[in-house]
């Protein structure tokens, strides 16, 4: 099948491209990611993808970068979710200590669905216009994405523009893609791409860092308690040994007195 493969970045393309080539598909990668911000991040991911694709002799097409269209769809949902989270935080906070800003998971999922839809529909439109038989995506290699929603939106976009949807759950190959991209020295991003995901990823990293710090503190307290217990036992043992030594000294002195008295 002549396949237009939507791709978000280089590292996520490694295993999907390999597997789809093995399945006999004629691939062209389509970089359609109006969600990615800021501009420097968008360019850095594209450059990494282009460098790798050139080495692998895989064609790449760049889609139209339309951040305004993304903001009007997924961005609008993200802002609404943020407003709802802030209102909920204001209502629940007593001011005693700061609480984390919690985004409703359902709203986050809704935002991602809108993002997938925008990019897949663009991919399907371009595929139909340029004689491709079908569309696919590399997004399903990530365990951090909504795989079922990806499948749904890819199928919907393909049907709308009269091409086939070639979906595959690539998550089992995520570790291999990670290994290969690291060995190749490819640029690896630490967030999905949009400004919301960047903030969420940073918050999650901060939470993990705080959890590790708390865990280390707890273990330090446990070690201190264990050391205090060992010190107490050593002191108890030392006191016992000293007491026994005094007893032996007294007994020795009595035996010496008895011996002297009998002579």
């Amino acid at each position: 099948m002549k396949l237009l493969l939507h791709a978000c970045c280089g590292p996520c393309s490694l295993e999907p491209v390999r597997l789809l080539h093995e399945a006999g598909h004629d691939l062209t990668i389509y970089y359609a990611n109006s969600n990615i911000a800021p501009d420097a991040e968008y360019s850095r991911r594209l450059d990494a993808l282009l460098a790798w694709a050139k080495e692998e002799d895989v064609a790449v097409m760049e889609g139209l970068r339309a951040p305004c269209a993304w903001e009007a769809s997924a961005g609008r949902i993200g802002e609404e979710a943020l407003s709802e989270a802030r209102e909920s935080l204001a209502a629940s906070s007593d001011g005693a200590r700061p609480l984390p800003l919690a985004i409703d998971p359902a709203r986050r999922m809704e935002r991602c669905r809108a993002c997938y839809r925008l990019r897949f529909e663009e991919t399907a439109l371009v595929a139909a216009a340029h004689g491709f038989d079908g569309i696919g995506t590399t997004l399903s290699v990530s365990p951090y994405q909504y795989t079922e929603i990806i499948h749904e939106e890819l199928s919907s976009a393909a049907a709308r523009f009269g091409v086939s949807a070639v979906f595959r759950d690539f998550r089992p190959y995520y570790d291999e893609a990670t290994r290969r991209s690291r060995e190749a020295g490819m640029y690896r991003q630490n967030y999905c791409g949009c400004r919301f995901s960047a903030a969420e990823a940073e918050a999650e990293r901060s939470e993990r860092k705080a959890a590790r710090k708390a865990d280390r503190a707890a273990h330090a307290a446990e070690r201190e308690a264990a050391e205090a217990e060992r010190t107490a036992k050593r002191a108890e043992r030392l006191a016992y040994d000293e007491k026994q030594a005094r007893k032996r000294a007294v007994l020795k002195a009595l035996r010496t007195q008895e011996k002297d008295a009998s002579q």
Side-chain angles (χ1 to χ4, degrees), residues 10 29 47-60 186:
I29 291 176
D47 289 346
L49 174 64
L50 289 172
W52 168 78
K54 183 177 181 180
E55 292 177 358
E56 297 294 320
D57 195 25
V58 178
V60 178
M186 295 180 74

Side-chain angles (χ1 to χ4, degrees), residues 171-187:
R171 286 177 297 179
Y173 304 94
Y174 177 76
D175 289 343
E176 178 63 11
T178 299
R179 183 192 67 78
R180 287 180 59 195
S181 61
R182 284 176 174 164
E183 286 186 355
M186 295 180 74
Y187 168 62

